[in-house]
């Protein structure tokens, strides 16, 4: 006969609103890679232990596994932004302790895209020719056609 696990614990743990996935998404969206770490091309995981008070705020944190180059300070900053939901526990003010891994991974540089080709110059040509009508009183001669030729070239 299998034993049933009791869900009625005396003290319930602090929970991040939305669960673990929401907390990881929050960290991912708010993580600011330190410039020193980018310059040194530092990647890795920071392990941080923190304490949550009875109101759900993080009040104490300690880096267990460090990377340096400003990543530790960024991990501490992120952890102190977290706010948890703490269930009421028989009017007791309970502190909760958690350990969290925060991953620092540089984004690969996107391949440089080729510059768009420059547009070719636009050229417009038109010709205006005026001729005398056959029923006009002026006599028609060889040079009676008069005209203009225009060539316009637009550059980008």
């Amino acid at each position: 006969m299998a034993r049933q696990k009791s869900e009625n614990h005396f003290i319930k743990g602090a929970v991040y609103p939305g669960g673990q996935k929401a907390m990881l998404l929050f960290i991912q969206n708010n993580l600011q890679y330190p410039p020193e770490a980018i310059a040194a091309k530092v990647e890795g995981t920071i392990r941080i232990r923190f304490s949550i008070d009875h109101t759900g705020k993080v009040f104490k944190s300690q880096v267990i596994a460090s990377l340096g180059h400003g990543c530790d300070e960024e991990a501490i900053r992120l952890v102190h932004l977290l706010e948890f939901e703490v269930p009421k526990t028989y009017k007791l003010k309970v502190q909760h302790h958690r350990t969290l891994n925060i991953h620092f991974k540089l984004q690969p540089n996107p391949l440089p895209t080729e510059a768009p080709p420059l547009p070719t110059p636009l050229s417009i040509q038109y010709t205006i020719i005026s001729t005398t009508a056959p029923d006009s009183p002026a006599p028609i001669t060889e040079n009676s056609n008069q005209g203009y030729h225009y060539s316009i070239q637009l550059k980008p």
Side-chain angles (χ1 to χ4, degrees):
M1 179 189 250
R3 293 177 74 182
Q4 291 182 345
K5 186 176 179 181
S6 174
E7 294 296 324
N8 296 329
H9 296 290
F10 179 70
I11 298 175
K12 297 196 189 248
V15 179
Y16 188 80
Q20 186 75 12
K21 286 183 181 180
M23 181 171 62
L24 294 176
L25 184 64
F26 175 82
I27 290 172
Q28 180 183 10
N29 291 338
N30 290 296
L31 182 105
Q32 297 171 356
Y33 221 104
E36 303 125 27
I38 293 173
K41 297 183 180 178
V42 173
E43 292 184 341
T45 302
I46 292 181
R47 190 169 183 89
I48 189 163
R49 182 152 177 85
F50 58 96
S51 300
I52 306 163
D53 67 7
H54 67 281
T55 63
K57 299 204 186 296
V58 175
F59 71 92
K60 181 176 148 187
S61 58
Q62 177 185 6
V63 175
I64 297 171
S66 174
L67 280 180
H69 299 283
C71 294
D72 300 345
E73 292 81 8
E74 177 61 17
I76 290 171
R77 183 190 73 83
L78 279 173
V79 166
H80 282 274
L81 290 176
L82 298 174
E83 290 186 17
F84 292 84
E85 292 176 351
V86 180
K88 302 296 177 201
T89 315
Y90 302 105
K91 298 183 183 179
L92 295 175
K93 294 183 179 179
V94 180
Q95 295 177 0
H96 301 274
H97 306 283
R98 292 272 174 93
T99 303
L100 180 66
N101 293 331
I102 298 178
H103 306 284
F104 285 83
K105 181 162 175 59
L106 289 170
Q107 298 296 323
N109 290 337
L111 296 175
T113 58
E114 293 182 20
L118 295 174
T120 57
L122 179 63
S123 178
I124 301 173
Q125 294 182 355
Y126 63 95
T127 305
I128 300 173
I129 299 175
S130 64
T131 58
T132 55
D135 58 342
S136 72
I140 299 178
T141 61
E142 278 186 39
N143 295 332
S144 63
N145 288 340
Q146 297 178 349
Y148 298 96
H149 178 75
Y150 292 99
S151 179
I152 301 172
Q153 204 168 35
L154 303 174
K155 295 184 180 180

